[in-house]
Amino acid sequence: MDTGSDLHESDKTGDWSRLLKSKYKKELGELSREYPHKRSLYIDYRDVERFGKAGIALADELLENPGKVLEDVWDAVKNSQLVRTKDGKEPRGINIRFTNLPRKTGIRNIRSEDMNQFVSVEGILRKTTEVRPRIVDAVFRCPAGHFTVKQQKYGKFIEPDGCATDGCTFKKLDLMPKRSKFVDSQKLRIQESPEGLRGGEQPQTLDIDVTDDLSGKVAPGDRVIINGILRSMQRIVKGEKSTVFDIFLECNSIEIAEKEFEEVEIDEKAEDEIRRLSKDPMIYRMITHSIAPTIYGSEDVKQAIALQLFGGISKEMPDGTHLRGDIHVLLIGDPGIAKSQLLRYVVKLSPRAIYTSGQSSTAAGLTATAVKDEFGEGRWTLEAGALVLADMGVAAVDEMDKMEKGDRSALHEAMEQQSISVAKAGITATLKSRCALLGAANPKYGRFDMFGDISDQINMPPSLLSRFDLIFIMTDQPEQKRDLAIAEHILKAHSTGELIAQHKKTPSPGVTDEYIQQQLAPVMPDIDPSLFRKYVAYAKRSCFPMLSSEAREAIVGYYLKLRGIAAPNKPVPVTARQLEALVRLAEASARIRLSDTIEVSDAERVIHIVDACLRQIAYDAKTGTFDIDKVVTGISKEKRDIVRVIKDAIRDIGGEGRRAGIDQVIDAVSAKGFARDKVKEGVDMLLRHGEAMEPKSGIIQLI
């Protein structure tokens, strides 16, 4: 019986030997040449499956009994002498690694029957520890000079009971680190990808044990597929052994998922459909109508969000500078205008996106946090936050005005430099956050006052506002025609939803699927969301348009026209940041058509959007000019002029003492043509900002 099983074993080794010789000759030759710098042989699972009848048996055995298969492959390499080192010796340790497993197991779906089986899990790396040597073969010496070797497993260090030499009775042995064998090791923790989660679920994590040449390959925030053997360890609580076991994955191979939009697989049929759509003259309208179709109106905002999804081109300059291609959009609007709904919809559409609410986000949660825990043996490790996890996608931040002041400043670097620098707990690192930010905020006083200054009503610092390419003011003004259309649209959506729910429970006569489709038409997107995601991914992957000379002239012309409004005594309307925004938006507009050139029509489209935004936020009705200072510095040019005149008046009246009666100052300044209430505001501002004080009632003194 035993001989039969031995024959069966050698059969398996022979099968592996034949497979390696036929399909992996080149890789084995490379290993022979580059050993010991290269110590891993990667075998594609699909190649094993395709290797005839024997291949299917080998592939199945790998999933069921991976430990034995890895030994069989190693035996095949050793017995057939498939790898020879330069000096003709047999290599000591070669890692056999398998990739491209067909079935991925979700972290939350791992069960006890998966124990000791070969599994493949994918997710985002949350934490990594430093690479440290781990002992594999520990060599001990007894006082008589005998050596004892004890193999070590993952986890606790095991000491031998006594000297292994016959007749030697010594129990106390000393470890000999110089003679022992060590291997590089690292611990990783991966978390489920946020895309696959249902709302409100907490993502689950799994610890990974990585050894030898795989350690030190990945960083927090990377998307990875990890193949390995699922192992268990008994949990010990306060010195007592528990019946519950902890699981970890003994890593066999790591595949780094492409950071770009490669996760979205596009087959030929979808590609043909995308190309057909891109040639449709109504493509812009279709795309705008495919974003949150249940929300009525807001055409400009939806078009801006479409441009944001497609994005501009990220550019790396020869001198090492990086020009961002991501477009940042901010929606500020009255409550109940469906801002959050838009954000939620965008998260569904974008191939990679994360939604977070400012009210419950801290700076550490957005950027990265340093955590000290049992995971890294009590060391500090970095944990990636929302903006890092949204790398190459969209970060939707709701309720931005409710964020703490310190937490909001964490967004500055992420928006402009597209990276996050961390210096915490002795860790200094820079993480990438190449994401487009879509923010939503409410006005400071709950609703917009159409007659007040916009900048006074936005509870956000000017330094943050100036980093947004587009800022939309969404006001809720009663207007009978529009309100009627919105009411009809909402009721239509609700009544169709009710019909579907009722039809599911008790099928109504005359209600067919066609009828339901017909009823749903107004709230159905023109392009199906799954195809839309593929469209965005395809455009980002394969379309890199260039500015045509006509489009360049149109953009420069608009920019100069706005700058030209700025006479020496008038406010500066537009900064270079707005010009860059125009270029990014024009690139995104051309990408929607999958065009290689940016035409005049693209330039005109984005000029229209930017102009509409500027008219809302920076138009100064009194002077009839744009005043971007209102947004960029928070103080309009007019206010700054009043403050200067007030200071001069105090100096004139007070002389050396630099103090004067407030009423006197107001009379003197208003005589120069300024409105009294504006002058009063200016005096209050001086006092509030600490540039002047009120030593006694009715007297102002410059500090």
Side-chain angles (χ1 to χ4, degrees), residues 19-29 41-45 47-48:
L19 188 147
L20 293 175
K21 279 178 183 166
S22 67
K23 302 215 170 177
Y24 287 91
K25 223 171 196 155
K26 185 176 158 213
E27 286 85 345
L28 289 163
L41 172 67
Y42 284 90
I43 299 174
D44 193 324
Y45 182 87
D47 287 344
V48 181

Side-chain angles (χ1 to χ4, degrees), residues 426-533:
I427 301 169
T428 312
T430 303
L431 303 170
K432 294 216 176 347
S433 68
R434 294 159 296 180
C435 60
L437 192 79
L438 175 59
N442 287 341
K444 197 186 287 188
Y445 309 114
R447 289 182 85 84
F448 270 114
D449 170 12
M450 291 318 289
F451 304 103
D453 263 359
I454 293 279
S455 55
D456 292 343
Q457 300 181 57
I458 303 174
N459 186 21
M460 286 169 82
S463 53
L464 191 61
L465 287 175
S466 69
R467 282 173 163 79
F468 283 100
D469 297 310
L470 294 171
I471 301 174
F472 284 96
I473 306 288
M474 299 167 76
T475 53
D476 190 6
Q477 295 293 320
E479 183 193 315
Q480 194 167 1
K481 195 176 165 191
R482 185 167 153 270
D483 291 347
L484 181 66
I486 290 175
E488 281 178 355
H489 186 82
I490 290 171
L491 291 176
K492 178 95 176 166
H494 277 276
S495 61
T496 312
E498 288 158 2
L499 178 73
I500 294 169
Q502 195 180 50
H503 183 62
K504 264 186 196 162
K505 192 168 181 292
T506 51
S508 323
V511 176
T512 58
D513 286 349
E514 285 82 36
Y515 176 72
I516 287 178
Q517 287 293 58
Q518 189 188 336
Q519 291 295 306
L520 276 176
V523 290
M524 286 293 280
D526 291 356
I527 302 170
D528 184 66
S530 64
L531 181 65
F532 195 106
R533 283 178 68 146

Side-chain angles (χ1 to χ4, degrees), residues 381-664:
T381 53
L382 269 190
E383 203 167 312
L387 292 176
V388 179
L389 298 180
D391 187 25
M392 303 304 287
V394 176
V397 185
D398 205 353
E399 310 267 0
M400 280 184 78
D401 52 319
K402 311 279 189 308
M403 286 170 77
E404 296 291 320
K405 203 172 175 185
D407 298 340
R408 228 182 281 147
S409 61
L411 295 169
H412 285 201
E413 186 193 355
M415 287 173 73
E416 204 56 51
Q417 274 69 43
Q418 303 226 290
S419 64
I420 286 165
S421 307
V422 181
K424 296 177 181 178
I427 301 169
T428 312
T430 303
L431 303 170
K432 294 216 176 347
S433 68
R434 294 159 296 180
C435 60
L437 192 79
L438 175 59
N442 287 341
K444 197 186 287 188
Y445 309 114
R447 289 182 85 84
F448 270 114
D449 170 12
M450 291 318 289
F451 304 103
D453 263 359
I454 293 279
S455 55
D456 292 343
Q457 300 181 57
I458 303 174
N459 186 21
M460 286 169 82
S463 53
L464 191 61
L465 287 175
S466 69
R467 282 173 163 79
F468 283 100
D469 297 310
L470 294 171
I471 301 174
F472 284 96
I473 306 288
M474 299 167 76
T475 53
D476 190 6
Q477 295 293 320
E479 183 193 315
Q480 194 167 1
K481 195 176 165 191
R482 185 167 153 270
D483 291 347
L484 181 66
I486 290 175
E488 281 178 355
H489 186 82
I490 290 171
L491 291 176
K492 178 95 176 166
H494 277 276
S495 61
T496 312
E498 288 158 2
L499 178 73
I500 294 169
Q502 195 180 50
H503 183 62
K504 264 186 196 162
K505 192 168 181 292
T506 51
S508 323
V511 176
T512 58
D513 286 349
E514 285 82 36
Y515 176 72
I516 287 178
Q517 287 293 58
Q518 189 188 336
Q519 291 295 306
L520 276 176
V523 290
M524 286 293 280
D526 291 356
I527 302 170
D528 184 66
S530 64
L531 181 65
F532 195 106
R533 283 178 68 146
K534 289 178 181 173
Y535 195 135
V536 172
Y538 184 78
K540 285 208 144 190
R541 212 183 290 176
S542 58
C543 181
F544 299 96
M546 286 179 66
L547 271 168
S548 67
S549 52
E550 294 89 353
R552 185 184 282 121
E553 277 171 28
I555 290 172
V556 171
Y558 177 67
Y559 176 66
L560 291 178
K561 179 182 140 201
L562 286 180
R563 292 286 291 182
I565 298 173
N569 62 340
K570 283 189 181 172
V572 176
V574 182
T575 61
R577 268 187 179 153
Q578 273 75 28
L579 178 63
E580 286 195 343
L582 281 166
V583 175
R584 278 192 284 271
L585 288 160
E587 287 165 357
S589 174
R591 263 186 171 172
I592 290 179
R593 293 199 318 275
L594 299 182
S595 162
D596 286 335
T597 49
I598 299 166
E599 307 290 349
V600 180
S601 58
D602 297 314
E604 284 168 354
R605 182 174 295 106
V606 299
I607 285 170
H608 168 73
I609 293 176
V610 171
D611 201 57
C613 277
L614 283 176
R615 277 187 191 286
Q616 284 180 316
I617 57 164
Y619 190 67
D620 195 345
K622 289 190 191 69
T623 55
T625 57
F626 287 113
D627 183 358
I628 204 84
D629 283 8
K630 278 174 141 182
V631 180
V632 176
T633 63
I635 300 168
S636 67
K637 172 82 164 50
E638 187 190 5
K639 262 193 193 154
R640 276 209 306 273
D641 289 348
I642 286 185
V643 167
R644 199 178 63 243
V645 175
I646 290 171
K647 282 182 176 176
D648 290 346
I650 295 171
R651 287 193 194 101
D652 289 349
I653 298 166
E656 287 295 307
R658 297 167 65 137
R659 61 161 67 187
I662 292 177
D663 290 341
Q664 266 181 298

Side-chain angles (χ1 to χ4, degrees), residues 22 55 232 265 308 348 405 437 531 655 695 697:
S22 67
S232 62
E265 285 182 16
Q308 182 184 33
K348 275 204 313 212
K405 203 172 175 185
L437 192 79
L531 181 65
S697 182

Side-chain angles (χ1 to χ4, degrees), residues 661-672:
I662 292 177
D663 290 341
Q664 266 181 298
V665 173
I666 292 173
D667 290 343
V669 177
S670 51
K672 292 184 179 173

